[in-house]
Amino acid sequence: MTTEQKDYFAHKAKDYEKEVARTGNVNNIADTILKEICYSREDHLMDFGSGTGLLLENIAPHVKKITAVDMSEAMNTVLRSKAENIACELEICHLDLSKDALARKFDGIISSMTIHHVKDIKALFEKFHDMLEIGGTIALADLDSEDGTFHKEDTGVFHFGFERDMFLDAAKEARFKNLKIQDASIVQKPYGEYSVFLLTGEK
């Protein structure tokens, strides 16, 4: 089941990967994830808010399969065009996970710069916890609190980044353990720089 609503990235998807600051940021996030989590070639991960696949392309050589979940069909179309070059099995789901369900279990969940587009963070983390196998991991990267200038257009933003303590507490309330939050990247934009953190933990 998919939820019909505005695709905020419909006009951006085709050129999404042309912004060097964006691709560099995701590469930094991926490097931080891979330093923190040792994946297995038997692992099946979910990439929440997978977009055009920038993050999962980096993680793919280390796992068996990635299920890419994104509510933007335009982004999914771009990812689909790249699928044969992804270094693991790839499944693409057009889904708004904040509203709909995906009835399966994963060995890990990864996400880059997506959770600020979700209104109810606590409910999302509870859903993540339910979707993981015992011992499964999370690796979630997002913006530190900012003044609202990071996004220059409406892309369905609910949070101008996050206070790290609040983000960490939401994961604790969702019963994740061995939690760690650390610097992951700096996004350089013409009008400022924005820090990005990575939260890791396990079920």
Side-chain angles (χ1 to χ4, degrees):
M1 175 183 174
T2 59
T3 301
E4 292 302 323
Q5 62 186 78
K6 181 177 179 180
D7 186 344
Y8 289 98
F9 292 88
H11 66 292
K12 300 178 68 172
K14 187 175 180 181
D15 296 323
Y16 193 74
E17 298 183 8
K18 292 181 179 179
E19 187 177 316
V20 175
R22 176 177 291 124
T23 56
N25 177 50
V26 178
N27 289 341
N28 290 339
I29 290 167
D31 288 345
T32 309
I33 290 173
L34 292 172
K35 287 175 185 173
E36 201 61 40
I37 299 178
C38 183
Y39 293 115
S40 159
R41 288 292 292 170
E42 298 303 312
D43 285 344
H44 179 191
L45 307 186
M46 178 181 76
D47 183 355
F48 173 68
S50 46
T52 61
L54 287 172
L55 179 60
L56 66 83
E57 284 178 292
N58 285 276
I59 306 299
H62 304 273
V63 300
K64 180 180 182 180
K65 180 177 179 179
I66 296 176
T67 295
V69 175
D70 203 291
M71 59 186 284
S72 168
E73 185 54 32
M75 293 292 222
N76 290 335
T77 297
V78 174
L79 176 55
R80 209 170 281 117
S81 73
K82 300 160 54 178
E84 64 181 23
N85 296 317
I86 304 296
C88 72
E89 295 177 41
L90 179 67
E91 176 186 15
I92 301 172
C93 294
H94 177 211
L95 187 75
D96 181 354
L97 195 59
S98 68
K99 298 178 180 178
D100 300 322
L102 189 61
R104 65 190 68 178
K105 297 280 189 180
F106 298 96
D107 301 301
I109 296 171
I110 58 175
S111 182
S112 169
M113 308 294 284
T114 298
I115 295 177
H116 59 265
H117 294 281
V118 177
K119 187 173 183 179
D120 191 339
I121 303 307
K122 291 181 180 179
L124 180 69
F125 282 12
E126 288 282 356
K127 186 170 286 190
F128 283 171
H129 192 272
D130 290 343
M131 295 174 73
L132 283 172
E133 302 282 4
I134 299 297
T137 59
I138 50 170
L140 313 174
D142 217 300
L143 288 164
D144 282 299
S145 291
E146 47 99 9
D147 60 5
T149 58
F150 184 85
H151 296 87
K152 289 298 187 183
E153 58 185 300
D154 182 12
T155 52
V157 173
F158 287 102
H159 308 273
F160 294 149
F162 299 96
E163 295 292 340
R164 295 189 185 191
D165 287 346
M166 184 277 279
F167 207 78
L168 193 62
D169 286 345
K172 286 178 181 176
E173 287 184 30
R175 307 182 308 284
F176 284 104
K177 58 186 181 179
N178 298 327
L179 290 160
K180 178 179 179 180
I181 201 159
Q182 62 184 295
D183 297 340
S185 186
I186 299 287
V187 181
Q188 300 284 351
K189 294 207 171 191
Y191 40 84
E193 61 179 37
Y194 303 84
S195 57
V196 175
F197 63 81
L198 175 71
L199 173 74
T200 53
E202 63 183 51
K203 178 173 178 176

